[in-house]
Structures are given as C-alpha cells and as structure tokens.
Amino acid sequence: MENYEQELNTELAHYNQILDVIHEQLEEAEKNNSKSIDALRETNRDMWENASHSADDFDGAAQLSQFYQPLASNNFAIESSAKKIQLLERLLQSAYFSRIDFCSENKQQHEKVYIGRGTLFNDQEKRIIIYDWRSPIASLFYRFETGAAYYDAPGGRIAGDIGLKRQYEIKKGVLEYFFDADVQIADEFLRKMLSGNTSSKMKTIVETIQKDQDIAIRHVSHDLLMVQGIAGSGKTSIALHRVAYLKYQGLSSRLKSSDIIILSPNTLFEQYISNVLPELGEDEVSSVVFDDLVTGSLPDKPAFQSRYHQTEMLISCTASAVKALKKQSMEFKMSGAFVRILNRYADSLPKSHIVFPDIEYDGKTVFTGQYLKDRLLQVNGSISWAVKLGHLRQHIFDEIHEMRKDRMPKLLRQAREDPEHSFDWEEYARELSIEESTVLAQKVDEFIKLDTIALYKKLINTEGLLLSLSAETELPNNIEEILSYSKEQLAESTLQNEDALAVSYLQLLIGTNDTYRHIRQVVVDEAQDYYDLHFEILKRLFPNARYTILGDINQTIEKQENMSLYERITKILQPGSSCLMVMNKSFRCTKEILSFSMQFLDDSTLFESFNRSGDMPQVIEAAKMDLLDEKMIEEVIYSQNQGYLSIGIICKDAQESEFLYSRLKDRLSLHLVRSGENLNTARAFIIPITMSKGLEFDSVLIYGVDKEHYHSVDDKKLLYIASTRALHRLNLFYTGEKSSFIQGCIRI
C-alpha cells in the first residue's frame, strides 16, 4: 500500500481518540457505580433503622414498601453500570477489528464505520463511533467486498457502495498493524488466525466470520434452522455466535439468557464453550446434557445408564452378536416406529391398562369402577391423562367429604362404646376418621398416580401387548429376540439409556411438564447422534421454542446417517417454517490433515479445505508396545517444543484411555479426561473419542490404529472424528497389523 506509514499515523491518531473516549466513559461509569453502591447502602441502612420489621405490623409493612422502589432502582443502576464497565474494559483491550467506508444511495460521501465487540456511543457527538459486530450495518463487513453492497436495517434494505474495507490487529490495547482487505489478503489474515495455537477453551471468531457463517448466525426468518457442516466448518462457533446475535437482535422483544438453552454432547463440552458468550459480552446461557433433561422428566429419579456409557459400551464391546443385538434394540426403541407404539399405548391406558376399583365408604359403594372409567373417558379436550385423573380424584373426594358429615356421628358412638377410650373417645373418633380417609386415599392413588416405569415394563413384558399396538408399523425382523433381550435388561436395577428415554417420553405423554414452557430458543449441537425419540422428547419439553440444530452426518458414533436426518427432524418438530444450510468448507484442519481424514468417508462426501498447509500426517509403526510408548512420548515432547498449547492423545474408548494413561503418566505430564470431568490447564490430554467430539487440539496423536481396534464401518467413522480434531499436526500409532482403512505414510 502506498503511503502506509502516513495512513498508519492517521489510524493511530483516530485510535487514540477512541481510547480517550473509552477512558472518559469508563471513569464516569465507575463513579456512577460507586454512587449507586453508596445509595444502596444508605437505603438499606434507612430501611433497617426506620422501618418496623414485624410481619404482623401493618404500618410497618407500609413503611417497608416505600423502600422497595429505591432498592430496585439502585440494584438496576449497579447492574447496568457493571455491564458498561465490563464492555469498556473489553474495548480497551481491543476497541475494534474492522472498518468499512460505506456510502448509502441517498448520501454524497462515505461514512467510516468501525466494527468491534460492542457498541460505543460518543455522548458529546451524539453518534455511534464503534458498531457492535451484530448490528445490521456490520453485516457489510462479513458479506461484501468493495463495491456495491447492502444491509437489512429495521426500516428496510439500505443499498450503497463500500469504498474501503480494512482490518486491524489490536492486541492488549495496542494497534499493531492494519491492511485493506481484498479476498486474497483477508484469506491471509484468516490463515494467520487459524495458524495460532489453541487452548482448552474455545475462542470467538468475530474477526474471521465467513459469509456463509454470517448468514447462518443472523438467520431469523425461520422457526427451525438446521446446519449440516463437515468437521471444522465452525458449527459450534456459529451456534454460540448465533445465540449472542439472537440476544442482541431480541433486545426489543426481551429475549433473556433464561429464554435460551443449549444442548451439549457432554459436560466436558459445556466447559469447553463456557467462555465464548462472556467474551462476546453476553451472560452465560444455560447448557445441559440430554441426560439431564431425562432426569428431570422421570418420576422418582431412577438410576439409568448415561448416553456416554451407552456409547462406550457399544464401542468397547468385542462380542459381535451381543453388540449387534444391543444396537438393534437401541435403534428400534429410539425409532419413529416405537414412538408410534408408545403413542398408541398412552392413548389406550384408561381403556385397557388402568384398573378402576369400586370405591366404598361407610359400607356403601360410592362409585363403581366402571362409572369411574366411563367418567374419565367422557372428558374431552387435549389435557393429559394425569390431569384428567387428578380431576377424577378430586371428584371422588368431594363426594366422600359430604359423606363424612354423616359418618362422623357413627364413629363418635363407636368410640364412646370402646372401653379403652372412655376418656378420649372424641380424639379417638377423629383418629378413626383420619385412618379411614388415609386408607381410602391410598386405594384411590393406586390407580390415579400412574407409575410410568411400571407401565413401560408392562408394555415390554406382557406377551403380545407391544405387537398388538404395532398395526401398520414396520418392526425389526428379530423383534421377538429384541423383546426377550429388553425383558432381561428391565430386570436389572439400572435402566438402559434407551429405556430411560422411552419412560421419559411416556411420562411426557401422560403427565404434565411446564418446566421449559418459557424457553424460546433451543440450540442442539451434534444432532447426528440423536434419534427420532430424542426429537420427540424435545418437541414436548419445549412447546414454545424455535430451534437451531447443527450436525454432521459423517460424525455419527455407532449408527449410520444421511441427509434424510434433517427431513425427519423437520417432520417431528413441525415448525412453521424451516431452513437447511450446508457447509462443506473446513477451517480447522490443514489441507493435508483434511485430505488424509477424508479417506474414512465415502467418495460422495463433498468437502473444501481452506488453503492452509502443514505437515503430512504420519502413520507410525512399532514392533512392541514399549517401543510404541517411546515413539508417542517423543511426539508429545516434540509438539510441546514446537509451542503447541494443546495436545490430544485420542484412544478408541475409555478403558483404553485408562490403560495408556497408566503406562505414560510417570513419564509425561498428562491429564486423563474422564466422564464428568472438566479440562484443566494441562497441555497434554488422554481422551476417548466419544468425549473428543466438538473439541480441537493443536497436535493429535491417535493411539492403537491397528486392524483389531478399527475394522468395522462404525470404526471408520471413529477414525474420521479423531483425525479431524487436529489443527496443525496429526500422527497415528500402532503395533501389529495396521487397520485396512488407513492409507498414508508409514514410519517405522
């Protein structure tokens, strides 16, 4: 660029002016915050000194009420100033990252628009001097090069011309350099960003959001947005930045953090993404694992197998027949076919599977079982069976209540005639009345309070019951074998994960659940690992929500998927409108690592690698296990010496991870990642494939890629997942015979 030094001086002068504004506003915000804190303390002191605190004192309550408004106002002021201070401190570190010179059609000259992680308003000039990256005008930076451009504002589309597009490198409050961004230079900037080392925390991507990613982030025109993206395409980053955008965009509609929920594949992943939203200036959004949703909906909180342990069991199972039957049972019980059977079963419960006893009181039959059944079935409406049964219970006891008035004199006479209670016959009569009522209540509750687990076991264990509900439903050829296997599993004290899901769904069908009715946006990551039953549960848990669903059909574990997944999701959730975006460009891996990883997918998979080069992955052989250990130790040390901040040693399953850790822990500084744990500050991790999903490491070592470990179609997908965790360096290690899936450079 001609006159770069002169232009840099101009930019530095502008940047210093911005810093002056930030410092001035920060000082003012800190003063206001201090005043609000002092005012709050003063109000609290006045309240405690001058108002009565007796709950029975009406005048005192009136006195206390006069303090409520000042307390609320002061608390709001403190919260607001604290948020402003956080924003200003963040801007001090990096005020902005880009500038566009934009001239709208109705203006004569270009306006300089600076874009950063938050909005900065100049009070003196009464104008915005830094625009939030989520603002409508900021989309110009992500979607257009210089020339004709437009953005969609609340008042309509604004068209115009971009005369300049500039990016800045600002670190720790210092403007280091800038460049005017054409496609080639912008790619070089992105390449530099991607070439940096990563840590155990996910990073924001506001400076490098690509056009397709920006479209997905800002998409609000459909109730259901689905993103199919290959490994490294930025799906999770899109999800989190989209959450930040929706909160920004939803300010007018009061979209709060509590209105959004993120479904994560595991607790480790929750911790991995935990800093992204705070770095974007937003409060943390609730993130849960699907198992936690199941726990919340199950009655009496029974013990059940987690999804993680379910997957680990399948991966580690070496008995092919047992594994095949387990998979078949899982697939059937989480299929759309089984959902239809559960729906029919729930509908049939009062007609065929609930025993309605005769209700007797004071020696009389108050209600026959048939009367109760008929009354229940006559209730119209869409309310659940649990609510209808609750109303029936109330009807029974309303009638009994009237009868107790006539019953009480009889009990009094009975008590008076009892010689053991001649002195306390009135109290004894009341005890008899309570005992009668308790026994009656227990009898009523036996059929009113539906035991969902017992009902589910009845469906599976009762000969011919499930088959009788399967009309026009395609069943597995070995359904009898599956049912026999399921009966054995249900006899255990711990429910299998698929059975727990089925019980949870049955509970949602017959019961009530208002826990999540307030949720307005649900974000589902790693959707390819969900079955139809998962989405049916989500539909009932979040009846008022819109959805963002992200997945990669190539990253399934222990099942095969294709693009029909997204059609099934749409059919189940039944949104008002839906949209599917496909992203086939990977930004995580070097082109060498991505090309190597693609050998584990079929040839029809479309992919595009961002043009970033690195070392070729190597497949390293050792004659014996102790020699293999030595080679892996050498690779870890080499990666550490290269300055890599995160090194992932990936094993096929948890058991193998434990085994490898026991051999290497005394020779390397390692952290073994177990289920339920978080990543710590270590640089080198041993982790099973199931827990590595969604994560990334500077250097990846895949252990035990021999034929014994990796030979099935499912194993091939596991190799793809493990390989695509690597940003810069990938090496695979084995003894014995190499897996037939691996084609690549072998070093002995």
Side-chain angles (χ1 to χ4, degrees), residues 305-532:
Q305 178 193 46
S306 70
R307 183 69 189 279
Y308 167 76
H309 287 103
Q310 178 192 55
T311 306
E312 278 291 313
M313 189 276 283
L314 284 171
I315 291 175
S316 61
C317 183
T318 56
S320 57
V322 174
K323 182 175 180 176
L325 183 57
K326 173 67 174 175
K327 285 183 65 176
Q328 291 161 357
S329 178
M330 278 176 52
E331 289 169 358
F332 169 62
K333 286 192 261 185
M334 293 194 285
S335 68
F338 194 57
V339 167
R340 288 191 291 275
I341 291 171
L342 290 172
N343 288 339
R344 291 170 183 172
Y345 183 49
D347 288 340
S348 71
L349 285 176
K351 301 173 187 175
S352 308
H353 305 291
I354 298 177
V355 178
F356 294 87
D358 293 342
I359 303 299
E360 296 180 349
Y361 186 75
D362 196 16
K364 303 173 185 175
T365 300
V366 184
F367 300 111
T368 65
Q370 188 61 50
Y371 167 84
L372 294 174
K373 182 176 181 178
D374 292 343
R375 183 179 176 91
L376 183 69
L377 295 175
Q378 287 169 4
V379 179
N380 297 319
S382 58
I383 58 175
S384 67
W385 287 125
V387 172
K388 291 177 181 179
L389 285 165
H391 292 165
L392 186 62
R393 185 185 193 278
Q394 188 61 49
H395 174 64
I396 293 171
F397 282 100
D398 285 346
E399 186 68 25
I400 297 298
H401 180 72
E402 293 299 318
M403 296 180 67
R404 286 183 70 186
K405 296 176 182 177
D406 297 328
R407 176 64 174 160
M408 199 61 197
K410 297 179 182 179
L411 292 175
L412 286 168
R413 287 195 299 272
Q414 179 182 333
R416 186 179 292 177
E417 294 170 359
D418 189 332
E420 294 184 9
H421 296 280
S422 58
F423 296 102
D424 62 344
W425 55 271
E426 290 182 326
E427 180 65 27
Y428 180 51
R430 283 193 290 272
E431 289 177 2
L432 290 175
S433 178
I434 293 171
E435 185 178 345
E436 284 185 348
S437 299
T438 303
V439 171
L440 181 61
Q442 290 173 345
K443 183 176 182 179
V444 173
D445 288 344
E446 281 181 6
F447 74 94
I448 294 296
K449 293 183 179 180
L450 300 176
D451 185 339
T452 322
I453 295 177
L455 288 170
Y456 178 73
K457 289 181 176 181
K458 181 178 180 180
L459 172 66
I460 301 299
N461 292 330
T462 303
E463 195 69 32
L465 177 54
L466 186 145
L467 298 178
S468 70
L469 296 166
S470 63
E472 300 178 3
T473 299
E474 186 175 349
L475 298 176
N477 294 328
N478 64 335
I479 183 63
E480 294 291 351
E481 188 180 11
I482 289 173
L483 289 175
S484 178
Y485 172 79
S486 297
K487 290 174 185 177
E488 293 175 7
Q489 296 299 310
L490 287 174
E492 302 292 330
S493 58
T494 299
L495 287 173
Q496 297 295 295
N497 186 267
E498 62 271 25
D499 291 319
L501 286 178
V503 172
S504 175
Y505 180 69
L506 191 59
Q507 179 67 30
L508 292 171
L509 286 177
I510 66 178
T512 57
N513 182 68
D514 296 325
T515 307
Y516 299 107
R517 294 190 72 86
H518 66 286
I519 294 293
R520 294 165 59 191
Q521 180 69 213
V522 177
V523 179
V524 181
D525 205 358
E526 304 292 347
Q528 73 279 352
D529 289 331
Y530 287 57
Y531 290 80
D532 288 6

Side-chain angles (χ1 to χ4, degrees), residues 43 47 61 63-73:
T43 303
M47 181 178 67
Q63 286 181 320
L64 282 172
S65 67
Q66 68 180 314
F67 294 98
Y68 294 162
Q69 183 59 44
L71 284 171
S73 297

